[in-house]
Amino acid sequence: MSHASPQSESSGQSNGHGTVGGLALVIGAIGVVFGDIGTSPLYTLKEAFSPHYGLNSDHDTVLGVLSLAFWALNMVVTLKYVTIIMRADNNGEGGIMALMALAQRTLRNGSRSAYVVGILGIFGASLFFGDGVITPAISVLGAVEGLEVAAPGLKPFVVPITLVVLAAVFAAQRFGTAKVGKVFGPVTTLWFLSLAAIGIWNVINAPEVLKAFNPLWGARFFLDHGWQGIFILGAVVLAVTGGEALYADMGHFGAPPIRHAWYFFVLPCLVLNYLGQGALVLQRPEAVSNPFFEAVPGWALYPMIILATMAAVIASQSVITGAFSVSRQAMQLGYIPRMRILHTSHDTIGQIYIPGINWGLAVMVFGLVLAFRSSSNLAVAYGISVSATMLIDTLLLALVARALWPRAWRGILALCVVFLFIDVGFVIANGAKLLQGAWFPVVLGLALFTMMRTWRRGRELLRDEIRKDGIRIDTFLPGLMLAPPVRVPGTAVFLTADPGVVPHALMHNLKHNKVLHERNVFLHVETWPVPYAPEAQRLKIESIGDDFHRIILRFGFMETPDVPLALMRSCDHGGIYFDPMDTTFFASRETIVSGANRGMPIWRDKLFAFMHRNAAPATGFFRIPGNRLVELGAQVEI
C-alpha cells in the first residue's frame, strides 16, 4: 500500500549462509546459480565464428577469440561480480533492485539523483525479463541441436522437441522446485565435470591453445581486425551471460559458497571447455559449425545431448524462478500490479509460483523459438539486455562504493572506469545487431519499463486523489462521536493507503449500513526497501480514542505479507487481541476514470486503469480470507 524507509537499516551485512552446511551450500549454488552461465559453451564459440561476423577459423583468430572470452570471464564475472559487487549486499540480498536501494540510500530522499538511480534500477529490472525470455529458448535449442551432429536427418525435429521440453518446464512450475531442486546440484556438477573432461580430451591433442591465456592475443585480434573487431564482443558477451545472476541469487546461498564454487570449480571447468573447443577448431577448422558437440567423442554424444538438455532445463528453471522472485520484489515495492502468488512449499517461504508471470514467459519463449528456430539466430538477439544490465550495475557500484568502502573507494572507482569501458564495448557490439534481432529484448524491456513507470506514477496520482478528497481522522472522529451511530459487536479492520485519512470503506459503511463496530482499526501496510523488516519495527499500534486504533504493519520486499497472521501476533507484543472469527476486514476497490489534462497523458491513464482493473485485489495479496472481507467500491478520476 505504501513504501517507506525503515528508521534504521544495515547494509553490507552477511545473511549468515556462508558458515552453514559448507559443501552442501556450494553444491546447491552450483545447481541454482550457475545454470545460465554454465550452458554458454553450447553456443558462444559457435556464434563467434558464425557467417555474419565474417571471421576465419585460422590459428591467430581462434587464439584471439579465446583470449577475449577468457579475460571477459575473469574481468567481468570473477573480478567485478564475484569479488567486488557481491560485497554490496542489502541485508544479505543481491540483485539490481537491492543495489538500487543501496545506491538511493547514499542520496538525499526526493533528490534528482535518487530519481535517476530509481529509473536506472527499474530499467535494469525490465531488461532482466528480456534475459529471462531468451535464456530458456537459446539454452534448450542449443542442447537439442546436438542431434544435428549425431544424426543430421533429425534436424527437422529440433524445434518440435525444444517446444515439448519447454512446455514441460513451464507446466511443472506449479508443483514447485523443492523435489526437482534436490537433483539440480548433482546434475549441474556432473555437467561441469563433463565440460572439463571434454576440454582436457581436446587440449591434450593441441596444447598450442593454452597460449590464449596471454592477453596479447586478444589485443592482437583487435590490431588485425581494426575497429570492426569490436563487433566480436557481441559474441564474447555470451560467455559471461548469467554473471549478473550470481549477484541476484546471493540471498539464497550467501556469498562464500558462490565464491568458492566459482573460483575453484565452475570457472576452471568453463575455461577448460572453451580451450578444448578452440583446440578442436585448430585441428579441424570445419568443426566450427558446432564446436561443442563436435568436441565430444562419438561414444559419448547421445549421453552428452541428454545431459546438455538437462543442464538447459536447469538453467531455464533458474531464470524462471528468478523472474518469480524479482516480480514479487517489484510488487512489494509498488512497481507492478499485484498478481496471484501461490506458495509451493510449506517449509520455504521463498518458493513461490506466479501463474501470470509463468505463462506470460511461456508464450514469449515459444514465440521466440518459432520465430528464430536456431540458437545461432537467437544468439544475435541475446546479449543486449545482459550487457545493458551490467553497465547499469557498474554505474550503481561506483555510486555505492564510497559509502560502503570509504578506504578502498578510489581503487574501486578506478576499476569501475575499466568495467565501464568493457560494458560500453559490449553494448555497442550488441547494439549493432538491433536490426538482426537484438531489437526484441530492447522493445520488451522498454514496454515493461513503461508499464512499471505508469503503474508507479498512477498509484501516486491515485493516492493524491484519495488524500485530496478524504477527511482527516483527527477532525472526523470528534465530530462523529458527538452523535455516535449504533455500535455492533466485533472488530472492524479498515485497510487504508493513508493512515491519516478516513478510509472510503468506513465512510461507505456508515452511509449505507449506519452502524459502527465496537472496535475499529485503521490498518496501513508499508513495504520497506530492505529484504526483511526487523521484528522490533514490524508493528506500530496507536490508540486514537473511543476504541479506534491505528496500526501500521511493515514488511520487507522479500517477504510475503500475511496481514491476519501479523495482527494475531500483535498481542504477543502487548497489542490488541484479534479474534479471527470476530474480525471483519473492510476494503475499498477503486474504479479508475481517466481525466483530461491531469497527471499523465491520456494513453497512460487508460493503461493504468486497465492494469488496475486486472490487478489482484490487495486483500488477496495480503492473504485476507474472503469469508471475513467486505469490499466497497469507489470511483476515482486521475
Side-chain angles (χ1 to χ4, degrees), residues 95-296:
I96 193 164
M97 299 197 84
L99 193 60
M100 175 190 74
L102 282 175
Q104 286 183 318
R105 210 176 298 166
T106 66
L107 304 167
R108 184 171 51 83
N109 273 344
S111 67
R112 184 75 177 174
S113 300
Y115 173 79
V116 171
V117 166
I119 293 290
L120 283 174
I122 300 167
F123 188 56
S126 303
L127 291 172
F128 172 85
F129 285 98
D131 182 23
V133 170
I134 297 178
T135 294
I138 194 171
S139 298
V140 178
L141 259 176
V144 177
E145 281 171 351
L147 291 173
E148 298 177 15
V149 176
L154 294 176
K155 184 174 181 178
F157 299 98
V158 167
V159 170
I161 292 173
T162 297
L163 291 174
V164 169
V165 172
L166 287 169
V169 171
F170 284 105
Q173 295 304 311
R174 69 182 187 275
F175 300 114
T177 59
K179 293 180 181 177
V180 183
K182 292 178 182 178
V183 302
F184 278 11
V187 169
T188 312
T189 301
L190 178 60
W191 167 252
F192 281 113
L193 289 172
S194 301
L195 292 183
I198 293 168
I200 294 170
W201 172 270
N202 287 276
V203 168
I204 288 172
N205 296 321
E208 173 76 8
V209 78
L210 295 174
K211 290 181 178 179
F213 288 134
N214 188 340
L216 292 179
W217 283 103
R220 183 171 176 175
F221 176 89
F222 288 117
L223 290 175
D224 290 344
H225 293 83
W227 65 270
Q228 292 180 328
I230 193 174
F231 296 121
I232 195 59
L233 294 178
V236 172
V237 74
L238 299 177
V240 298
T241 55
E244 74 286 359
L246 312 190
Y247 179 49
D249 289 331
M250 186 170 63
H252 297 294
F253 300 96
I258 294 175
R259 285 200 185 99
H260 294 153
W262 175 257
Y263 291 145
F264 304 113
F265 183 67
V266 175
L267 177 62
C269 291
L270 288 174
V271 170
L272 282 170
N273 190 262
Y274 284 123
L275 290 173
Q277 291 185 48
L280 177 70
V281 174
L282 287 179
Q283 290 182 294
R284 292 170 42 211
E286 70 279 3
V288 81
S289 60
N290 196 329
F292 180 85
F293 285 107
E294 292 284 356
V296 179

Side-chain angles (χ1 to χ4, degrees), residues 361-573:
L361 279 175
V363 168
M364 288 188 283
V365 169
F366 295 158
L368 275 177
V369 172
L370 291 170
F372 288 87
R373 307 192 72 81
S374 78
S375 62
S376 294
N377 293 337
L378 263 173
V380 176
Y382 204 23
I384 185 70
S385 56
V386 174
S387 52
T389 302
M390 289 179 170
L391 176 60
I392 293 171
D393 283 342
T394 298
L395 295 173
L396 295 179
L397 173 65
L399 200 58
V400 304
R402 185 169 189 174
L404 293 183
W405 312 297
R407 292 183 179 179
W409 79 272
R410 293 183 186 276
I412 292 174
L413 201 60
L415 284 173
C416 283
V417 173
V418 177
F419 298 149
L420 195 66
F421 182 76
I422 296 170
D423 294 334
V424 169
F426 283 148
V427 170
I428 291 172
N430 285 286
K433 301 186 292 184
L434 277 175
L435 297 180
Q436 285 77 38
W439 58 268
F440 173 78
V442 174
V443 170
L444 177 60
L446 288 173
L448 292 172
F449 174 76
T450 301
M451 293 174 69
M452 292 169 81
R453 285 299 304 163
T454 298
W455 180 255
R456 179 81 165 185
R457 178 61 178 151
R459 294 267 297 169
E460 291 172 357
L461 293 172
L462 178 60
R463 280 196 296 270
D464 290 343
E465 288 298 319
I466 291 173
R467 191 178 292 117
K468 185 173 69 177
D469 297 335
I471 304 171
R472 300 296 302 177
I473 290 175
D474 51 7
T475 58
F476 171 78
L477 289 184
L480 180 67
M481 290 300 106
L482 290 175
V486 175
R487 299 189 82 142
V488 296
T491 300
V493 178
F494 296 93
L495 274 71
T496 175
D498 188 330
V501 174
V502 180
H504 280 172
L506 174 60
M507 302 295 289
H508 286 300
N509 191 42
L510 284 171
K511 179 179 178 181
H512 297 294
N513 298 326
K514 298 178 174 54
V515 295
L516 202 61
H517 282 72
E518 275 181 337
R519 186 169 59 179
N520 297 275
V521 174
F522 301 131
L523 176 64
H524 176 64
V525 181
E526 293 180 351
T527 300
W528 278 355
V530 294
Y532 303 96
E535 280 301 321
Q537 297 172 278
R538 171 84 63 196
L539 187 76
K540 180 182 177 183
I541 302 176
E542 179 186 357
S543 177
I544 47 181
D546 293 305
D547 250 342
F548 279 86
H549 305 270
R550 182 187 289 116
I551 293 181
I552 297 176
L553 271 178
R554 291 143 178 161
F555 297 95
F557 62 76
M558 287 295 292
E559 297 181 86
T560 298
D562 190 327
V563 166
L565 181 63
L567 291 179
M568 287 177 63
R569 287 178 175 171
S570 70
C571 61
D572 298 338
H573 303 282

Side-chain angles (χ1 to χ4, degrees), residues 591-605:
T591 300
I592 307 300
V593 178
S594 176
N597 301 319
R598 303 293 286 268
M600 292 189 295
I602 195 78
W603 67 269
R604 290 185 68 190
D605 282 345

Side-chain angles (χ1 to χ4, degrees), residues 331 336-341 354-357 451 455 459 462 589-592 605-621 631:
M331 282 181 223
I336 63 174
R338 290 177 294 268
M339 300 181 189
R340 189 162 65 103
I341 297 178
I354 307 178
I357 298 294
M451 293 174 69
W455 180 255
R459 294 267 297 169
L462 178 60
R589 189 158 176 82
E590 297 87 3
T591 300
I592 307 300
D605 282 345
K606 290 183 177 180
L607 175 61
F608 175 70
F610 173 79
M611 294 166 72
H612 190 275
R613 189 163 57 248
N614 289 280
T619 49
F621 188 72
E631 280 194 316

